[in-house]
Amino acid sequence: MDIKKGTLIAYGAFLDKSNPKGIHIDEETYIASGVRILAHDFSTARIQQQTGKFKKSVHIGKRCFVGVNAIIMPGIKIGDEVVVGSGAVVTKDVPSNCIVAGNPAKIIKTGIKTIKYGMISEIAK
């Protein structure tokens, strides 16, 4: 796993050990309890093994917060300074400086700025 200095991962978070090299978390990010970060897709493994895409890396940027019980699906890229709401299911890439929530996760606010551990410091009007 590629977990940068200053990242916090709460007790009870699950990081996919089937593809540990596929998990990349940048600095000053906080992963809350119950979060699931998946880096492989077993259900389509037979098809994907033919293309070599069975393992799918997940990238989470700097100063993000991933809320309790959120699920990050395989192959997702989350930008810098992103807040993922509790219970969200992230099925698509997320651009930097926004808040996502829901199932599937959708952008509910853009133009945010965060500080260490994804704490919101500024919201664009």
Side-chain angles (χ1 to χ4, degrees):
M1 294 183 193
D2 174 27
I3 301 172
K4 301 293 186 199
K5 184 178 179 180
T7 293
L8 294 180
I9 300 174
Y11 180 77
F14 172 85
L15 280 62
D16 192 345
K17 293 170 191 72
S18 296
N19 181 21
K21 291 181 181 179
I23 296 179
H24 308 274
I25 305 173
D26 220 330
E27 59 201 40
E28 298 182 339
T29 287
Y30 183 83
I31 307 296
S33 182
V35 169
R36 303 280 185 246
I37 300 174
L38 305 175
H40 81 288
D41 183 359
F42 185 79
S43 65
T44 58
R46 185 174 172 97
I47 295 167
Q48 292 180 16
Q49 282 175 339
Q50 296 168 1
T51 63
K53 294 184 179 179
F54 171 63
K55 296 178 179 179
K56 298 180 176 182
S57 292
V58 171
H59 296 266
I60 301 174
K62 297 176 186 173
R63 293 177 300 281
C64 293
F65 173 77
V66 182
V68 172
N69 292 329
I71 300 171
I72 312 298
M73 297 301 288
I76 297 301
K77 290 184 174 131
I78 296 175
D80 296 333
E81 301 186 38
V82 170
V83 173
V84 177
S86 296
V89 180
V90 183
T91 59
K92 294 182 181 178
D93 290 352
V94 178
S96 294
N97 305 101
C98 68
I99 301 171
V100 297
N103 179 8
K106 294 184 181 352
I107 296 172
I108 60 171
K109 188 72 177 171
T110 59
I112 70 162
K113 298 284 183 189
T114 64
I115 57 173
K116 196 172 188 177
Y117 307 131
M119 291 185 282
I120 298 171
S121 63
E122 183 181 327
I123 299 177
K125 294 180 183 181

